[in-house]
Amino acid sequence: MEQHGLISKIGGLLRSGEISCTELTKKYLETAEQENGRLNAYVRLTPETALKTAAEVDRKLSAGEKLSPLAGIPMTLKDNISTSGIETTCCSKILQGYVPIYDATVWSILKQQDAVLIGKTNMDEFAMGSSCETSCFGGAKNPHNTERVAGGSSGGVASAVAGNLAAFGLGSDTGGSIRQPASFCGIVGFKPTYGAVSRYGLIAYASSFDQIGPITRSVADAALVYDAIAQYDPMDSTSSDKAAPAFSSLGKDIRGLKIGVPKEYYDGIRPDVKAALENALKVCQSLGAEIVEFSMPSIKYSLPVYYILACAEASSNLGRYDGIRYGTLTEHYADRDEMICRTRSEGFGAEVKRRILLGTYVLSAGYYDAFYKKAQNLRGTLVKAFEDAFSRCDVIAAPTVPMTAFPLNFTARDAVETYLTDICTVPVNIAGLPGISVPCGFGSDSMPVGLQLIGARFSEPALLNAAFQYEQAAGDDVFRALETGVAR
Amino acid sequence: MNYELVCGLETHVELATKTKIFCSCTTEFGGEPNTHCCPICIGLPGTLPKLNRAVVEYAVMAGLATNCEISPVSKMDRKNYVYPDLPKAYQISQYDMPLCRNGRVDLSNGRRIRLNRIHIEEDAGKLVHERGNTFVDYNRGGVPLIEIVTEPDLRSIAEVEEYVEKLQMILRYIGVSDCKMQEGSLRCDVNVSVRPAGQEAFGTRAEIKNMNSFAHMVKAIEYEYDRQVDLLMSGEEVVQETRRYDEESGCTEGMRGKEDADDYRYFREPDLVTIRITDEMRETLRAKMPEDPQKRLTRFGSDYGLPEADARLLIEHRRIADYFEAAAKGTKNPRAAANCILGQMFARLGSEAEKERFDVAVSPERLRELILLLDAGKIRMNLVKSTLEKMLDSGKPASDFLNEKDLAGLSADDLKAICEKAVAENEAAAADYRAGKGKALKAILGSVMKATRGRADPQEAERLLAELLKK
Ligand SMILES: [Zn+2]
């Protein structure tokens, strides 16, 4: 497996001495600085931290020390992952100036493995949005076409990785926030099983859905990063010790693999997207996989269940931003209530306010049973539906998004219309399953289309292997077009 | 018409764990503001709670000690409200699945106070008002609490007092809390209503929040009882509301009206997993629990012949009760051991905190040696006290002082000689006694005791003197 993926390739160059980590880091920093005006992928560059780590990696390399596969690799973190000493704002005005005093577990792991942080990347405010445009810094652009969005909410990471401003990045996926921008930008986005990666230090949007995962240029890279960060963390009670290493299991053939195709996922998707997906399924069949068609009627509840439960949790998680301990306090107020009210009115953007209000409403006395409780019950129904599905097949294949990247400012027109674009990604978060988006061609607008593969809980090794086999087989057709040239 | 008082109590008790409920910060009382804090207990963005296992164990023990059913499955919930001393804008508590249910505390008058539930939750920080500013101190934020909720079963102030005292005794006893009202580790919300005597239906209740002193609680209930009775007598209605007690005026006053009724938007805390208590865990904890203090009280009467008042004082602090039993074990004079503790040892311990620690220079084994010397007649009852004083001062065993002149035994001959001398030296008193004034003997006995520096057995000396004076 050594030869596969960008990370292994860069690692090889570093180990062979063809390039020093300091040179490599400088190159990425320069590109990031030059390109960021165009892409707005980064909201903060961290050259000092990056060059310090790079120097340390060079020292270790020359001393012949054994290094982790991620050592010296230029990477980025979404701006909702806490980095001690580095401002972390969730791209919200209310958190501007907030510098955490502790590291998120995923960042301490990567730090320990000498990964090189180039900067913090753009996102929808508090991870709420599907286009990255709710960011207080303005949206990230799609490297394939800067008139299009990079997707959301982890749009900055996807834009940085697709535009070669970082070799990989970590995003967070609450309802599709890793997979959707990866699909829009033509790269790989992987959301692991809920609990496989620690959430400690991830600034919460909706706690029972949030999941950190890698955004990379290949499945092999995703597996490598996943193996590093999928560790049991005593600081997160919902963290599990069941995660098995995935990288080493890549490369097994998928003859006889049953790929489930629930028809509801394909209803109403754009014809060119559907064509790309059908093509992808043919590639899988040519590898010996078997297509199993069935129906999952409860999929239709996914969106309301997701928006009710996620907004309920968000309304509670975001209650702490009152300007008292951190964040931007309003300037004019008469008493404490007004101080908190004005701080929140001025600090939060429209989308965040909309979700806080929705969440507060569905939890209120008198509405709780009709909305929250009902949604909780339906969540159980969906979990069960997936269990049934995985008794018929090994992985599910679905579109990641029923369309390609939208033009800029498209989503501002209609919030509900935008919510509908999450239809294929949210079921995975509701059921806590692993899901990966792999590029599978282009739409009629020449924008990338993503194939989503979904696995049973903690089936990462098999799921990533299936994605890897497809990627390898489709490689020449799909990836040549996506290759925009890095670290050659 | 006669009105009956109906009370229900919600008691918040701070658990005596070393660390907070969701992080490893210390729970120690006081400290410079915001020094017992970490990213978790000040609710920094991205932090997650981690449930302290000891908190669950202590709460289960509190449940077992009050005859509760322990829920095999329970969960934590979020209670959402905005207040600056609550760093996350929600309190992690338990709503519909408390850890313990259906317990009871029995009162001495035979009435049974039913406990609806015991649940665990976190404490908030506190606001400090200074120089016209308000500051927040989060040292107490995240300190573990249990909330013990009774049914409206209390019918008098005396019952309320006995219930809270009993609860304090039980919880201190099993070591889950020090229950110090003055330090806020035990606080009560009291629900008060009245109804005409004999009526079944409850009246409308008012809740008096945050009582942290016995005296104030009694006054608040008295005031509230009178207020509600006055209202009803004059044909008005009691309004359901939350009231606070004003210490200066001695009155309760309404805090907020019905219109802003609380809506805490409770929902399951998604950052914490389900709490499961297996039968095995429950029984292991049960086995670790000390004897029920009520049973021990009865046993102290029957096994050691202690008067109830003395037994109660010993039992109030488990460490002292254990000390007593170790000292009295196998002796013929357990009451002497109790007197040593309640007399000289207590005299040296000023505060309740010192009693709680019970840090004395004499080990229970050493006290036992002293009582065994008494049993063997090697030391007289009247010298136990002065010997113990020496032991407490020096930390040495009683046997070290046996050979001292002052403590050495007195032979019968020596005593007789001293008594004869005393009669001779107190002619007037001797004459009075012979003339029928029995009291006069005390004066002569006094000089005998003085001459022997306390070594004489006063009863023996008195008998001898009476014999001499008959002649
Ligand atoms: Zn703490």
Side-chain angles (χ1 to χ4, degrees), chain A residues 333, chain B residues 127-136:
Chain A
Y333 52 87
Chain B
L127 298 185
V128 183
H129 303 280
E130 241 171 54
R131 304 185 300 273
N133 286 316
T134 303
F135 300 92
V136 202

Side-chain angles (χ1 to χ4, degrees), chain B residues 231-395:
Chain B
L231 279 173
L232 295 178
M233 301 267 264
S234 58
E236 288 175 66
E237 276 181 14
V238 177
V239 185
Q240 185 172 336
E241 62 181 349
T242 303
R243 298 177 72 83
R244 62 179 285 273
Y245 176 70
D246 183 73
E247 291 170 18
E248 275 171 31
S249 65
C251 305
T252 65
E253 54 197 38
M255 274 169 73
R256 50 192 169 216
K258 233 180 172 177
E259 63 277 10
D260 39 312
D262 298 307
D263 179 0
Y264 292 117
R265 293 178 287 119
Y266 279 100
F267 74 99
R268 190 199 169 116
E269 166 56 86
D271 290 329
L272 288 170
V273 292
T274 305
I275 304 170
R276 290 176 202 282
I277 311 287
T278 60
D279 292 355
E280 195 192 339
M281 283 159 71
R282 189 189 62 226
E283 292 315 312
T284 307
L285 287 170
R286 199 194 297 278
K288 268 204 256 174
M289 301 248 298
E291 184 181 10
D292 174 71
Q294 200 56 44
K295 284 187 192 140
R296 200 172 196 185
L297 190 67
T298 318
R299 194 168 59 75
F300 273 24
S302 58
D303 286 10
Y304 304 114
L306 295 184
E308 196 190 319
D310 287 1
R312 205 173 272 284
L313 283 171
L314 290 173
I315 277 173
E316 196 175 344
H317 301 286
R318 181 167 134 211
R319 192 166 294 174
I320 299 177
D322 291 347
Y323 182 103
F324 163 74
E325 289 216 80
K329 198 168 99 192
T331 71
K332 291 177 196 148
N333 269 302
R335 282 189 73 165
N339 290 338
C340 286
I341 296 167
L342 299 175
Q344 285 125 295
M345 289 183 179
F346 269 31
R348 287 175 184 237
L349 303 168
S351 65
E352 277 301 306
E354 283 176 330
K355 276 184 194 160
E356 176 74 43
R357 279 199 301 279
F358 204 62
D359 190 9
V360 288
V362 174
S363 68
E365 292 73 28
R366 289 269 164 92
L367 178 59
R368 185 162 176 271
E369 277 169 30
L370 176 66
I371 306 299
L372 287 173
L373 287 172
L374 177 72
D375 288 353
K378 289 189 180 153
I379 196 165
R380 295 207 181 276
M381 182 68 95
N382 58 313
L383 289 178
V384 165
K385 193 173 166 182
S386 55
T387 310
L388 181 62
E389 287 295 335
K390 288 174 203 266
M391 291 165 71
L392 287 166
D393 288 339
S394 65

Side-chain angles (χ1 to χ4, degrees), chain A residues 82 95 98 101-102 194 199-204 207-208 234-238 312-313 315-317 319-321 324-326 336 340 360 363-365 368 372, chain B residues 38-40 42-51 78 80 82-84 86-90 127 129 134 136 138 263 265-273:
Chain A
S82 301
L95 265 179
Y98 168 64
I101 54 169
Y102 74 101
Y194 185 77
R199 280 185 297 123
Y200 191 76
L202 172 69
I203 300 180
S207 315
S208 72
M235 299 300 282
D236 176 355
S237 305
T238 60
E313 292 181 14
S315 71
S316 169
N317 284 330
R320 71 190 74 190
Y321 305 107
I324 294 178
R325 281 152 301 143
Y326 34 71
R336 195 172 64 213
I340 293 173
T360 306
L363 283 174
S364 302
Y368 183 90
Y372 185 81
Chain B
C38 72
I40 298 172
I42 59 173
L44 284 190
T47 54
L48 298 172
K50 199 190 152 204
L51 184 56
R78 288 190 188 175
N80 295 281
V82 175
Y83 201 73
L86 192 67
K88 300 185 291 289
Y90 55 81
L127 298 185
H129 303 280
T134 303
V136 202
Y138 290 115
D263 179 0
R265 293 178 287 119
Y266 279 100
F267 74 99
R268 190 199 169 116
E269 166 56 86
D271 290 329
L272 288 170
V273 292

Side-chain angles (χ1 to χ4, degrees), chain A residues 350-367:
Chain A
E351 185 58 37
V352 171
K353 284 180 194 162
R354 185 152 41 225
R355 296 196 196 192
I356 290 175
L357 285 174
L358 176 61
T360 306
Y361 179 80
V362 298
L363 283 174
S364 302
Y367 301 100

